[in-house]
Amino acid sequence: MQPKGSGEIPEETVRVARAAFPKGSLAIRVRDELGVLFTDEQFAGLFAVRGKPAWSPGRLALVLVLQFVEGLTDRQAAEAVRARIDWKYALALEVADPGFDFSVLSEFRDRLVSADGGQPVLDGILTAAREKGLLSRGGRARTDSAHVLSAARDLNWLELVGESLRAALDAVACSEPEWLSAHALPDWFTHYSTRIEDSRFPKSQAKRAEVGRRIGSDGMRLLEMLWTEAPLTLRALPEVELLRKLWIQQFHLVEGEVERRDPKDRPPGAQRLVTPYDPEARGSVKRDTFWDGFKVHLTETCEPGTVHLVTDVTTTAATVPDDRMAAVVHAGLARRDLLPDEHWVDTGYANAQTLAAAQRDHQVALHGPLKSVTVPHARGEAAYGQDAFTIDWDNQHVTCPNGVTSTQWHQRRSEDGLPAIRVRFSPADCRTCPQLRACVNSPKAQRREINLKPREEYEALQQARKLQQTDEWKDRYKIRAGVEGTISQAVQACGLRRSRYRGLAKTSLQHQLTGAAINLIRINAWLTGQPHARTRTSPLAALRPAA
């Protein structure tokens, strides 16, 4: 790769573009206002020092973003570079420049994936916006997550195991056709020569279970042969390795026969394979939504009177809970000096640990509704709830409303492996208390026990609960709802809901390009004076009488 940069826009390109677009266009306006967003030097590490010169990677990065802005395929994007004058203007190309073959975009994305190159693309736009005064540190930000469907279609259980076995047989047939021809069972050519989705499975559950056992036995037989009689190279095939993992998850031997595992005997969702064509996709559920794929977290600025820009895009497996992501988002924003003063999130992100960590590590006030306490004797408003007990952190004891002091204070770990404190009162003190049954939860309990979080987290939690009871906080929290409009825009304009590619790395690149595209769309709207969209209100809701 020989860095050339975007350079000056050719005079003929400027003349034709001004004549064709007297009022400008998004591509023209972005180039005029933000200048050169990406340079070849930024991506020099992705290319070899020898060989045929590559097409300008700085220009290719801008093409990828514009491609997502307009929702184009690779062929359409390459055609736009070749045929559209506003794109040539943004890319500083000659009018007669023939562009490149559409396959260059796929190759460039592969290079970006190998080096986490999607983040520099998003950062390039944010840097230009900061230089123009459209973005600054501090203020307010908000985050929400969205489920993302895998590029591979959903499979039922028979399709999953059958297609995984067929894919492994095809891979072995390509690698060692003679060996497989000599060892394959005759039935395999009947059952696995075509895609499993073309098969007609029986309707009755008993017969479907029989088909499942047959597929399980065939897969177990193939794995045994691969590990005892086959060339070693076959074990390293990705399709064979996936088959081995899937069979461990789904089948086991019962008295010498292959049987399907009981649901309780299968691995958790974070490890469970759901398709042979996207091994990193996972199945998850959120309320009434079930999906196989990934999850994306979008963070945007939300200061009133400013353009709202996406500052962080993080993609995870579908099973990663939201409450683990606040720290990840804050670390990413800190690296780019984009930390907000206030960060507004929904219930999924907020808990005692994240509230304390945000303030301690980044001086960020994290705001999100806390989950309600469901245990009656732990509720603050209960006569003997935790709030009724006095905690002496320095001397490590707790005093109950009746003046009795605890006798045990133990540092422990919760079921999730997090630090916790268990406080116990003496049975001798509690057994004689007339309020014992009102104080303990179990009818057989003989003493009160209290589980506490570490002091920093406990105090942060108590402070947040008090703050969230105020009308002022409830009114301010309405600002978080706007991030749902951002997710809607990303879904409708850029296809955020379904991954275009297979694998977590490529899906993450897609989402970073989506964030960059949304930023260009919003900067263009800001420059042309388009106001932020208002919250939709139906005619019926508008007639609602005031409370």
Side-chain angles (χ1 to χ4, degrees), residues 216-259:
S217 299
D218 290 343
M220 196 71 74
R221 176 67 182 273
L222 174 62
L223 290 171
E224 289 175 356
M225 290 191 299
L226 289 173
W227 258 257
T228 57
E229 308 173 28
L232 295 178
T233 55
L234 293 182
R235 303 182 196 175
L237 294 174
E239 294 84 357
V240 170
E241 177 60 16
L242 184 140
L243 182 71
R244 184 187 69 83
K245 292 180 178 179
L246 183 64
W247 252 239
I248 292 174
Q249 294 180 2
Q250 298 292 339
F251 298 101
H252 62 160
L253 292 175
V254 179
E255 297 180 355
E257 298 293 329
V258 178
E259 295 289 344

Side-chain angles (χ1 to χ4, degrees), residues 317-527:
T319 53
V320 176
D322 290 352
D323 60 7
R324 298 183 184 179
M325 297 309 300
V328 176
V329 172
H330 290 159
L333 293 174
R335 285 194 299 269
R336 289 170 284 134
D337 194 29
L338 290 174
L339 280 170
D341 296 323
E342 296 179 354
H343 190 187
W344 297 83
V345 295
D346 66 10
T347 305
Y349 292 87
N351 57 37
Q353 185 181 18
T354 56
L355 291 174
Q359 187 63 49
R360 178 188 66 244
D361 299 337
H362 302 288
Q363 292 73 54
V364 173
L366 184 66
H367 295 281
L370 297 168
K371 295 179 180 178
S372 58
V373 179
T374 56
V375 180
H377 292 82
R379 291 176 184 164
E381 67 272 13
Y384 289 89
Q386 283 192 10
D387 290 354
F389 288 71
T390 303
I391 304 174
D392 187 339
W393 295 96
D394 297 330
N395 296 312
Q396 297 187 348
H397 63 72
V398 176
T399 304
C400 82
N402 295 328
V404 177
T405 302
S406 62
T407 57
Q408 297 182 27
W409 178 291
H410 298 296
Q411 304 284 346
R412 296 180 176 270
R413 290 277 175 178
S414 66
E415 295 180 356
D416 298 327
L418 301 176
I421 300 170
R422 174 172 290 182
V423 177
R424 289 177 173 174
F425 287 79
S426 170
D429 293 330
C430 292
R431 199 177 296 124
T432 58
C433 178
Q435 304 298 327
L436 175 63
R437 298 275 68 89
C439 186
V440 299
N441 195 31
S442 171
K444 296 182 180 180
Q446 297 298 310
R447 64 178 174 182
R448 177 65 183 263
E449 297 184 5
I450 297 177
N451 293 317
L452 300 175
K453 299 181 181 297
R455 182 174 184 175
E456 182 184 39
E457 297 179 13
Y458 179 87
E459 292 177 347
L461 188 65
Q462 296 299 106
Q463 182 180 1
R465 289 196 185 280
K466 292 179 181 178
L467 181 63
Q468 292 177 14
Q469 298 302 316
T470 64
D471 293 336
E472 179 186 2
W473 188 92
K474 294 177 182 178
D475 186 64
R476 295 185 65 208
Y477 183 69
K478 295 177 182 178
I479 193 174
R480 191 216 64 87
V483 73
E484 296 175 1
T486 298
I487 291 177
S488 177
Q489 181 183 20
V491 170
Q492 296 181 34
C494 304
L496 180 76
R497 186 66 73 202
R498 179 175 288 278
S499 176
R500 295 187 179 191
Y501 319 108
R502 296 175 182 176
L504 180 61
K506 282 191 173 182
T507 301
S508 179
L509 173 62
Q510 173 188 339
H511 294 158
Q512 289 163 337
L513 292 174
T514 297
I518 291 175
N519 285 343
L520 285 193
I521 293 172
R522 292 185 168 185
I523 290 174
N524 178 65
W526 180 263
L527 294 174

Side-chain angles (χ1 to χ4, degrees), residues 56-225:
S56 168
R59 289 183 172 123
L60 285 175
L62 181 56
V63 170
L64 288 180
V65 179
L66 292 176
Q67 176 186 11
F68 274 74
V69 167
E70 301 191 17
L72 305 179
T73 64
D74 286 355
R75 290 179 184 269
Q76 292 170 333
E79 183 67 20
V81 173
R82 183 164 43 250
R84 287 178 49 177
I85 188 61
D86 59 333
W87 280 44
K88 288 183 181 291
Y89 183 97
L91 298 167
L93 296 175
E94 297 284 352
V95 173
D97 192 294
F100 51 82
D101 186 79
F102 73 93
S103 61
V104 171
L105 290 176
S106 176
E107 295 171 359
F108 184 58
R109 280 196 301 270
D110 288 340
R111 293 179 185 273
L112 290 177
V113 167
S114 66
D116 191 24
Q119 189 62 55
V121 174
L122 177 61
D123 290 346
I125 296 176
L126 294 175
T127 299
R130 174 177 283 179
E131 292 174 354
K132 290 295 180 179
L134 300 177
L135 178 66
S136 61
R137 189 184 186 279
R140 292 180 291 184
R142 53 195 177 195
T143 298
D144 201 4
S145 64
H147 67 275
V148 179
L149 305 178
S150 169
R153 77 176 185 87
D154 293 345
L155 302 176
N156 62 39
W157 183 77
L158 283 179
E159 290 174 331
L160 169 62
V161 294
E163 192 62 19
S164 298
L165 177 55
R166 190 194 70 82
L169 287 169
D170 278 352
V172 173
C174 290
S175 180
E176 295 287 346
E178 295 182 358
W179 179 88
L180 184 60
S181 179
H183 291 80
L185 300 181
D187 286 349
W188 291 1
F189 298 99
T190 302
H191 296 305
Y192 310 113
S193 293
T194 59
R195 295 182 69 89
I196 297 300
E197 65 187 42
D198 297 330
S199 303
R200 291 190 175 182
F201 296 120
K203 294 183 178 180
S204 71
Q205 290 298 323
K207 292 184 177 180
R208 291 172 72 91
E210 184 178 345
V211 172
R213 284 192 291 271
R214 186 255 297 165
I215 295 175
S217 299
D218 290 343
M220 196 71 74
R221 176 67 182 273
L222 174 62
L223 290 171
E224 289 175 356
M225 290 191 299

